[in-house]
Amino acid sequence: MTQRDFQHEVLRKLSASQSVLVIAPTGLGKTRAALEPFLRASVNGGLLGTRLIYALPLRALTKGVVEEFNELRAGLRPIVHHGDAPESWFFSERAIVTTIDQYFTAFAGAPLSWASHLSHAAAGAVLTSYSVFDEVHLLSPQKGLHLLFAALYLRKRWGLLSCVMTATLPSSVVEFFGRFCGLERVEATDRDVQDRDSWRRVKLELIGRPTNSEVAGKNKEKLPIAFEWDEKTPTELAEFVFEKWNQWNELGIDGSRKIIVFVNTVDRALQVYRELRSRPNVNVLLAHSRFTKEHREKIEAELHTFFGKNSGSEEAILVTTQVAEAGLNISAPLVITELCPMDSLIQRAGRCQRFRPSNGQASRGKILVVKPAGDDWYLPYADKVRLVRVGKEDNKEKREFSKQLFAIEFTQAVLEQRVGKDLELRWEEERRLVEQALNRLYQSFLKGSVDVEFQKSEEPFETLFNRHKGKQREAKEGGSDEE
């Protein structure tokens, strides 16, 4: 396989003892970029080749990294280590694929999997490793990213090599990690991106309708809304999926009839799966994080049979959760997803038309976004924030505060404001959406705050502020903001 420009640059920098933060679209080979420098150094010598610890947020993602090792034919068998597969002996092996909780606890000298008298051994192994942190968008932005920052900051002070990889971190996080953790940014070049965007034609659509109507606010005031969602219960979502299944030839997409359905909670996924299973002549698969190890291995084999790179034309529907939004090398022409934070949405979109067709032709696909019905539609994304509109009045700073709102509403507002515009998911458009929905939000989280400041008329903040107006008050510059 020809090495892409960004993969070559990652190899060059790591070989020169420089830690990196890799930014590239989904499906472009970030895993390979992180593994090849280690495999080469393991032959040639040096700290980079001493030990690899590859950390992931979810257990289900470890198999994909092991498969990448095997494809590289390195002659080095990686050890998988997590709660279901504790194969490592205090991280003493040459290559370990593990979960982020195992890594953090070993780093702190309090490992989850071994007796306390072995804690020094696990900590020492971490300190003599080249560490890779992949799919970091799945970490909690309010807690997980802070833990990652602490580990990266200390690794920098101790002169240890690290590699962080992302397709969907906003610039505020990328710049923060670069400034304080010594990570040099490596981005996919235009030529790299064209390897995907030159043939992939994937459009994103919201399920609902544009409107110029008004809705009553909590204080009975009239608030304008630009979009009205067709909210769906699990039963209605299953009916919607089956409707698209039967309308396949009218959807304007290419490829065999395969659909991946992303549902935000396991309980709702189970309901959708059961509804679809009751339909005749439809092959329906289910994948989520609660399966046992044995069941999960069986499911993963089926996923690759129906949705993998070498899958045939067999028709199938996959109902899944966050477990499939990253790390699993699967694809379908149609992806139907519940509304979720923008970074997760872009990752899910990466499962649509992921594989380049052998005939070299353009490949059309669709992402359909539905909003779950009910007052708890936002679950499991329950992080809350507060908007602060900052302005000046009579030469004094004026700060107006909204009531608390769910962080996922930033993504909702950005998508609603793009209704009616052509949303083809090329790399630049994906980055723009992430920046608009998440950059200011994550900037506040990195400061340890839940207050998101903005200037009047800035969007999507102004729209959200008007939806969640709270008790207004003023503060002079330098005054207290405490309520």
Side-chain angles (χ1 to χ4, degrees), residues 58-201:
L58 298 174
R59 298 173 182 178
L61 303 181
T62 57
K63 185 176 180 179
V65 178
V66 172
E67 289 174 348
E68 194 76 44
F69 256 101
N70 295 336
E71 287 183 14
L72 289 170
R73 298 177 182 176
L76 180 64
R77 177 181 174 268
I79 297 297
V80 174
H81 186 85
H82 54 67
D84 280 350
E87 298 178 6
S88 177
W89 184 243
F90 48 83
F91 289 164
S92 60
E93 299 82 10
R94 291 286 305 282
I96 306 101
V97 183
T98 189
T99 47
I100 198 74
D101 57 337
Q102 297 280 347
Y103 185 96
F104 284 156
T105 54
F107 189 91
L112 290 173
S113 302
W114 305 291
S116 58
H117 70 276
L118 294 173
S119 61
H120 66 285
V126 170
L127 295 180
T128 55
S129 75
Y130 157 53
S131 294
V132 177
F133 303 93
D134 198 1
E135 310 295 1
V136 294
H137 80 281
L138 289 172
L139 298 176
S140 163
Q142 285 188 300
K143 297 177 183 177
L145 284 180
H146 288 83
L147 288 173
L148 178 59
F149 163 71
L152 290 170
Y153 178 75
L154 290 173
R155 289 184 61 83
K156 173 202 170 189
R157 289 189 60 184
W158 298 331
L160 305 173
L161 282 174
S162 306
C163 175
V164 177
M165 299 193 292
T166 180
T168 53
L169 279 181
S171 60
S172 56
V173 180
V174 172
E175 291 165 5
F176 188 85
F177 281 178
R179 178 182 177 188
F180 293 104
C181 304
L183 303 178
E184 284 201 11
R185 185 185 314 189
V186 177
E187 297 189 47
T189 65
D190 290 343
R191 183 167 64 175
D192 293 333
V193 172
Q194 280 300 104
D195 281 347
R196 185 194 74 159
D197 286 354
S198 61
W199 57 267
R200 185 174 179 263
R201 300 287 183 269

